[in-house]
Each structure stands twice: as C-alpha cells, then as structure tokens.
Amino acid sequence: MAILAAGPRRRRRTHPAQVVVLGFAGAILVGTALLMLPIARADGVATDFFDALFTATSAVCVTGLTVVDTATHWSGFGLAVILVLIQLGGLGIMIFASMIGLLVARKFSVRARLTAVAESGALSQQDVKGLVRGIVGLSLLIEAVVMVFLLARFLLGYGYAPGEALWHALFHAVSAFNNAGFALYTDNLIPFAADPFICLPIAAAVILGGLGFPVLMQLRKEFRRPLHWSMNTRIMLWGTVVLLTAGTAYITVLEWNNDDTFGSYPPAARVLMGFFQSVQTRTAGFNSVDVGQMHDETWLGMDVLMFIGGGPAGTAGGIKVTTFAVLFFILWTEMRGEAAVNVFGKRLSRAVHRQAITVVLIALAAVMLGTITLMIMTGRGLDETLFETISAFATVGLSTGITADLPPGGDVVLVLLMFLGRLGPLTLGSALALRERRILYELPKERPAIG
C-alpha cells in the first residue's frame, strides 16, 4: 500500500541526441549481422566481424571508406544491404536534423517560434508528417532524375544490358545523393574520369545532397525571390560556390602535370577531373583518379575541404559550411574592430558564436587524437594518416590507400571517427541549442592577455 501511495514513477525523458545515436548504432549492428551472413559474400563465405562492422558503419554514416573490394567481395544481397544502409543513413540524418529545428523552435515564445521557422526555411511546426514526406519525396525525386541520366549513359555509351545498367544507375544515384561514395567498380569511378555524362550527374547529386534539406525546400518555394532567402540558405549557396571554385582551381593547378593523376588526359578532361574531385572532397568520396598518387600539397588542401564539409540538415559531413562561415565572419568582424557580427543584413546571435567554436574545437580534438593513435599503431607518416583520419571523421570516404592495410585496432579507430563525425557535430549542436539555461547572476569581468 505504501508503494501505491507513492504514486507512479516519473518516466525518464530521452534527449533527442540519445535517440538518434541509439538509432544509428542499432542500424549499424543490424547491418553488420546481415553482412556477416554467407549469402552476403560473393564466394559464400562468412565475412569477418571487423570487416562487416567497418562496412556497415561506413554505409550508415554515408562515408565510403572500405576495407574490402566492394565490387568483388559482396554478392548481390550484400550490395543491396549496403544500398539500404546508405539510404537509411542519409535520410535519417536529414529527418533528424530537421526535427531538431522543430524542437528548438518550440522552446521559444510564439513570436520567436515564427521567427525561427521562417529563418530555418520550410520547417513547419504543425505538419510533421508533411515535413518527413517532403524530405523523403525530394530525396527520391533527385535520385530518380540522376538515375535516369546514368541509365541512359550506361545503355547507350557502354552497352550494358538493361538490368545491369538499371542496377548500376540506381546504386550510384543513391550513393551520390547521400554523399556515400560507394561504387560498383574496383577502382571506383576512375574508368569514367573523362566522361562528363557520368561525372556531372553524380557531382550534381552530391552537391544537392550536401546543401541540406532546408535549403532545397526554400529554393523550391522561393527560387525567384532571393530577398526572402534565410541566412542559412545564403551562407550555404555562397559558401558552396566559393569552396567548389577554390577547390577546383587548387586541385587542377597542383595536379595538372602529374602523370599519375591528371597529366595524361586532355586539358578539358583535366578541368572536369579537378571539378569532380573538388565536389567529392566535400564529403562524397567518389574518386576519378588515384588519390594515393596525388601530391602531398594537394592532400593538405583536400584535408581543409574535407574538414569543412557540406551543409547542415543534409547528407554531408564535416563541421559544416555554416560553422566555418560563422567563424570567418567573427574573424572579419574582429579585424574591422566592430562589436556585432553582421551577416547578409542580419546580426548573428552570440550563442551561435559559442556553438560554432565548441563544434570546431571538439572536431579538431577528435581528428588530432585519431591521427596520433593511427600513427602510433601503424608507424605511417603524418600526411597520409591525417588524410585518412579527416576523411573518416568528415564522412568523406577518400583514401590514400592505407585503409585496407590497417590493423584491427586501426579499423576500430576509423569506425569510431566515422560514427562521431556523422553524429557528433549534429547531436552536439542540438544539445547546445536545447540545453541553454538562464543564470540569475553575473561574475565581474576580466580580460586575459591575448596574443
């Protein structure tokens, strides 16, 4: 009776970040179990646990790093499992990121909610089902359009049988839009390096997936009214153009005379290859050249592009273009001696300053710790190890060729980096936004010496 009098126990509230982490972990474990089945392997032999775990993590986190040859190791069943994991991983990130926008908006007053909804672009507080349908529908539409282009090229340009052409077109369209980088060829997309009818549709899908769902929805509704675009949309569009242009010029110039990469191709093909690799370095992971043969200087520039990544609420990884832009505008404001950070005619919230700095510092710590650990385990140099670590954390999937040769401990490090890189910035950002609390007192100010 005393127990009854105490009343019902309170249910412990689950933070949204915990839900998404558990969801992705569950998907990885299920995917690992399926890929370990003998039917998932081409030769009918069960795949090793670490290889299956690595592949499932890479697929769910839409990274693209591999420890086995995707084209020859997996059977049709295994490839189908990978494709489903890629689709679930990509859509799951977009849906969760958009739902976080709803949760954040509900914390404020009615006026603040309306402002937050308008600023986020297409995040409705009422029609949640419509929101999810919009994400799924838009994703499938883009994938279908890209698939049609690839299907026509495989049929007419390479003489594939209809069934084979359809499968290759579907797999690469889904892999591209979700920024996964998995390909059905042993040497990835190197056979199509100079083919714009393959490279450009895939690049377009990667760019659209990397922009983020809120940007795509706002462009669909208000494409002809740029004055109505939110700060997020403007930052993403300008940032994408600047990074793609700079990346294309940087990679093309440095690799122009490298006979192991661009040097043996005609000039027009070299420009196409430079653009394609610039796009893929922004977290997609397809490669049309042997990345391991690139110059060290090219790797360093690609490290920066991979670390920045794509847009929030999309399929790309990295710290996100918006985070990088916020830091840039803070730096620009400090250099000009101004008090407030103004971006495209609006003032940036000081809370965003702190969140951006927090995300970047934690990301840098993860990359440095992972790099040092891999260097100790493998005895390899800094350049290739740093490249591999950033590629895993930013869920890019590009590799200098050392991933398949790593010891099991190294595989575990990359698995953790992929998982942290895919969920870390997103869940950390949401946690910071959702746990703001008021402090009813202020301490006296004091300034330490800087610089």
Side-chain angles (χ1 to χ4, degrees):
M1 297 297 294
I3 295 177
L4 294 175
R9 293 182 179 180
R10 293 182 179 180
R11 291 185 177 181
R12 183 180 178 182
R13 293 184 178 180
T14 303
H15 194 281
Q18 296 174 329
V19 175
V20 73
V21 169
L22 292 175
F24 271 72
I28 289 172
L29 292 178
V30 172
T32 301
L34 292 175
L35 292 177
M36 289 179 66
L37 296 175
I39 193 178
R41 187 165 172 173
D43 57 9
V45 180
T47 299
D48 177 77
F49 170 76
F50 283 106
D51 291 344
L53 174 65
F54 191 98
T55 303
T57 304
S58 185
V60 173
C61 296
V62 290
T63 304
L65 284 175
T66 59
V67 289
V68 296
D69 185 357
T70 303
T72 60
H73 182 87
W74 304 109
S75 65
F77 175 81
L79 291 173
V81 170
I82 292 174
L83 186 65
V84 172
L85 293 177
I86 290 172
Q87 187 73 83
L88 290 177
L91 288 179
I93 287 293
M94 298 173 75
I95 292 175
F96 172 73
S98 300
M99 292 297 292
I100 288 300
L102 299 178
L103 293 173
V104 173
R106 288 198 182 106
K107 284 190 61 182
F108 308 134
S109 64
V110 174
R111 183 183 297 274
R113 291 181 194 179
L114 295 175
T115 303
V117 169
E119 196 64 30
S120 60
L123 292 184
S124 169
Q125 296 186 81
Q126 303 297 329
D127 189 9
V128 177
K129 292 182 179 180
L131 174 67
V132 174
R133 284 196 300 267
I135 294 174
V136 175
L138 186 60
S139 301
L140 296 180
L141 175 62
I142 294 174
E143 290 171 356
V145 172
V146 175
M147 184 186 71
V148 169
F149 279 100
L150 296 179
L151 175 61
R153 185 57 177 167
F154 286 138
L155 285 172
L156 303 177
Y158 295 93
Y160 284 19
E164 182 183 17
L166 180 61
W167 169 241
H168 281 244
L170 172 64
F171 189 96
H172 292 100
V174 172
S175 183
F177 178 73
N178 289 287
N179 279 221
F182 280 89
L184 296 178
Y185 306 96
T186 299
D187 47 2
N188 209 269
L189 297 182
I190 292 178
F192 311 103
D195 188 347
F197 298 102
I198 295 292
C199 292
L200 292 182
I202 288 178
V206 170
I207 293 172
L208 291 175
L211 284 176
F213 178 72
V215 175
L216 295 178
M217 288 299 295
Q218 185 162 53
L219 291 179
R220 189 185 70 173
K221 294 180 179 180
E222 300 180 314
F223 182 77
R224 298 184 178 181
R225 296 189 293 176
L227 294 179
H228 293 183
W229 293 352
S230 67
M231 180 189 295
N232 181 75
T233 297
R234 296 186 182 195
I235 289 177
M236 276 308 306
L237 292 179
W238 276 107
T240 298
V241 170
V242 170
L243 290 174
L244 285 180
T245 303
T248 300
Y250 184 86
I251 295 173
T252 303
V253 169
L254 288 182
E255 296 297 320
W256 187 267
N257 293 319
N258 186 348
D259 291 333
D260 294 324
T261 55
F262 291 16
S264 60
Y265 289 87
R270 298 184 202 184
V271 175
L272 172 65
M273 294 161 67
F275 171 74
F276 187 77
Q277 283 309 136
S278 176
V279 172
Q280 306 312 315
T281 305
R282 302 275 315 293
T283 82
F286 290 109
N287 61 285
S288 60
V289 298
D290 186 354
V291 176
Q293 299 300 319
M294 286 181 159
H295 296 307
D296 293 350
E297 300 87 344
T298 308
W299 286 351
L300 184 58
M302 293 172 71
D303 287 341
V304 176
L305 292 175
M306 290 191 296
F307 188 75
I308 295 173
T315 60
I319 63 170
K320 302 298 185 294
V321 174
T322 47
T323 304
F324 177 76
V326 166
L327 296 183
F328 171 80
F329 285 118
I330 292 174
L331 174 64
W332 182 250
T333 300
E334 288 295 323
M335 292 178 63
R336 298 179 63 180
E338 298 177 354
V341 180
N342 299 317
V343 182
F344 297 119
K346 295 183 180 180
R347 182 169 58 87
L348 199 63
S349 169
R350 290 190 178 276
V352 177
H353 302 191
R354 299 192 298 270
Q355 292 167 16
I357 293 172
T358 302
V359 168
V360 171
L361 290 179
I362 291 179
L364 287 173
V367 168
M368 290 299 100
L369 181 60
T371 302
I372 293 171
T373 304
L374 284 183
M375 291 178 68
I376 294 174
M377 284 183 174
T378 64
R380 293 184 178 272
L382 174 62
D383 292 337
E384 54 189 359
T385 308
L386 178 63
F387 189 96
E388 217 77 8
T389 303
I390 295 179
S391 181
F393 177 81
T395 68
V396 177
L398 293 175
S399 174
T400 59
I402 69 172
T403 300
D405 299 327
L406 292 177
D411 291 342
V412 172
V413 171
L414 292 187
V415 165
L416 293 175
L417 285 172
M418 287 189 287
F419 192 79
L420 176 63
R422 172 46 83 186
L423 301 178
L426 182 62
T427 54
L428 177 61
S430 65
L432 292 174
L434 290 171
R435 65 172 301 209
E436 285 188 8
R437 54 178 181 168
R438 291 185 177 181
I439 298 178
L440 302 180
Y441 62 90
E442 288 188 357
L443 298 176
K445 293 183 178 180
E446 186 174 351
R447 297 184 60 175
I450 302 296

